[in-house]
Amino acid sequence: MDDVDPGKFALCLHNSSFPVGWSTHDISLDELQRRQYGRCFHHLNSKVIAIGGDGGTMGFVDLWRGILLCDVLKVERGKGKPIPSLRYVMLPSSPVEENVAGRGDARLARDIAVVQQGRTIKYVELQVHWKHCLTFKGHYVKDGWMSRTWSRPVAADCSDDCWDLSCKRESSDIPVHSKPHFEPLPKVLDDGGMPLEMFKGLEICQPKISLHDDDGTVCFMAKKNRRDDKAWVIAVDMQNNTLQGVAEFAAGRTIGMSFTLMQSRISKYLMTAPGVGSEE
């Protein structure tokens, strides 16, 4: 983003069909949106999503604020002609936005993905609950979390405020009784040495939206202590508010609660070895 002229950006494209594959293009928001945001417009890219279509639309996402949509194929075709302007989609407003927007890595609290065969943009936000520590005055301890998911049609007009709040879930409402496969989750003790309820006191971050179509699952990364070299992935079915699974992984290379997980569709293109998954 141009600090002198907010709303103006430099787009670098690579075309492998040409000897000199890289090209740079100046692109910007249209006049209406530039007047709307003026010099207060900010965009710090967190993630890129592929939307597709004839224009090869890409979404450059600031997970604290909004999505810049750019038809990258039209930019290439428009050499020597006016380059199509960007479009901007605001993310859903959040009651915690004033306290956290722009502070730290947004990927630790939010995620976005294109699902349902490219028809829907889904967005998730994680909010950690805190409560006063009874032992140390002025200190706070984690007390579970709340998560929200929104969705909007890819085909919706950028100016339409059509984010639909799909669901809102509290970790304290997730039933975990009679779930033996969740035993690997660490037990956190309170100040008196008594075990806390499930999910209480856990370090939690990085909500990740499942890329399976019509799947309401969101995964979270959890640790008992942020400096531990062991962590867990917790899969939650947001639609039905149920725990889907827990998987432990080595986190020795993870510094504290930092960006660690990334979802992928690569499994769709892997060939299954003969005999694997076949019924006898």
Side-chain angles (χ1 to χ4, degrees), residues 66-100:
I67 311 168
L68 286 168
L69 298 175
C70 178
D71 298 332
V72 294
L73 294 183
K74 291 183 179 179
V75 171
E76 275 289 281
R77 298 170 191 156
K79 290 183 177 180
K81 301 178 181 179
I83 295 174
S85 60
L86 296 168
R87 290 97 67 202
Y88 191 71
V89 177
M90 294 283 292
L91 289 176
S93 59
S94 167
V96 297
E97 194 166 311
E98 293 183 0
N99 297 324
V100 300

Side-chain angles (χ1 to χ4, degrees), residues 237-274:
D237 181 344
M238 295 285 289
Q239 293 176 350
N240 300 304
N241 200 33
T242 57
L243 211 50
Q244 295 295 299
V246 176
E248 180 184 322
F249 70 95
R253 296 184 179 182
T254 302
I255 302 175
M257 301 298 286
S258 57
F259 181 75
T260 306
L261 310 176
M262 182 179 295
Q263 69 271 63
S264 172
R265 288 188 172 93
I266 193 172
S267 59
K268 292 175 58 177
Y269 306 97
L270 298 178
M271 297 182 63
T272 304

Side-chain angles (χ1 to χ4, degrees), residues 1 8-14 22-28 56 58 60 70-76 83-84 86:
M1 185 175 74
K8 184 177 180 181
F9 301 83
L11 177 68
C12 299
L13 297 177
H14 182 269
W22 285 100
S23 59
T24 303
H25 309 267
D26 291 331
I27 55 178
S28 63
M58 303 291 293
F60 299 89
C70 178
D71 298 332
V72 294
L73 294 183
K74 291 183 179 179
V75 171
E76 275 289 281
I83 295 174
L86 296 168

Side-chain angles (χ1 to χ4, degrees), residues 3-239:
D3 292 333
V4 177
D5 188 4
K8 184 177 180 181
F9 301 83
L11 177 68
C12 299
L13 297 177
H14 182 269
N15 190 330
S16 59
S17 301
F18 296 95
V20 181
W22 285 100
S23 59
T24 303
H25 309 267
D26 291 331
I27 55 178
S28 63
L29 292 168
D30 61 33
E31 287 301 320
L32 177 62
Q33 292 185 324
R34 288 166 69 90
R35 287 197 301 268
Q36 179 181 354
Y37 296 104
R39 299 191 64 83
C40 295
F41 181 84
H42 296 284
H43 186 88
L44 182 62
N45 207 64
S46 309
K47 186 174 182 177
V48 179
I49 54 176
I51 295 174
D54 293 338
T57 305
M58 303 291 293
F60 299 89
V61 187
D62 180 338
L63 284 169
W64 289 133
R65 300 177 181 88
I67 311 168
L68 286 168
L69 298 175
C70 178
D71 298 332
V72 294
L73 294 183
K74 291 183 179 179
V75 171
E76 275 289 281
R77 298 170 191 156
K79 290 183 177 180
K81 301 178 181 179
I83 295 174
S85 60
L86 296 168
R87 290 97 67 202
Y88 191 71
V89 177
M90 294 283 292
L91 289 176
S93 59
S94 167
V96 297
E97 194 166 311
E98 293 183 0
N99 297 324
V100 300
R103 299 182 183 179
D105 190 343
R107 297 173 299 177
L108 300 182
R110 301 178 176 189
D111 189 34
I112 195 168
V114 179
V115 296
Q116 294 183 334
Q117 300 179 351
R119 299 190 303 272
T120 303
I121 299 175
K122 183 177 284 189
Y123 169 74
V124 63
E125 176 193 72
L126 167 69
Q127 180 183 350
V128 177
H129 294 318
W130 297 82
K131 68 176 183 179
H132 289 282
C133 178
L134 300 178
T135 306
F136 299 99
K137 186 177 180 180
H139 286 71
Y140 295 84
V141 293
K142 291 180 173 62
D143 192 40
W145 75 85
M146 181 269 292
S147 54
R148 304 180 187 89
T149 58
W150 288 265
S151 61
R152 65 176 282 141
V154 164
D157 189 275
C158 294
S159 60
D160 292 342
D161 183 13
C162 59
W163 286 103
D164 176 54
L165 179 60
S166 306
C167 59
K168 174 182 175 181
R169 301 300 186 195
E170 294 281 350
S171 61
S172 57
D173 295 332
I174 300 175
V176 294
H177 302 294
S178 68
K179 299 284 186 178
H181 53 299
F182 301 135
E183 285 301 316
L185 275 175
K187 298 294 188 296
V188 181
L189 305 180
D190 63 15
D191 297 331
M194 299 298 293
L196 294 171
E197 296 179 23
M198 189 70 74
F199 307 128
K200 300 282 187 177
L202 281 179
E203 299 277 354
I204 193 83
C205 71
Q206 265 205 271
K208 285 295 173 186
I209 296 170
S210 169
L211 299 181
H212 294 291
D213 290 332
D214 300 320
D215 186 348
T217 301
V218 174
C219 294
F220 303 87
M221 172 183 163
K223 281 186 174 183
K224 184 176 181 180
N225 297 298
R226 60 188 309 109
R227 295 185 179 88
D228 288 349
D229 58 4
K230 185 187 296 183
W232 289 262
V233 175
I234 302 172
V236 178
D237 181 344
M238 295 285 289
Q239 293 176 350

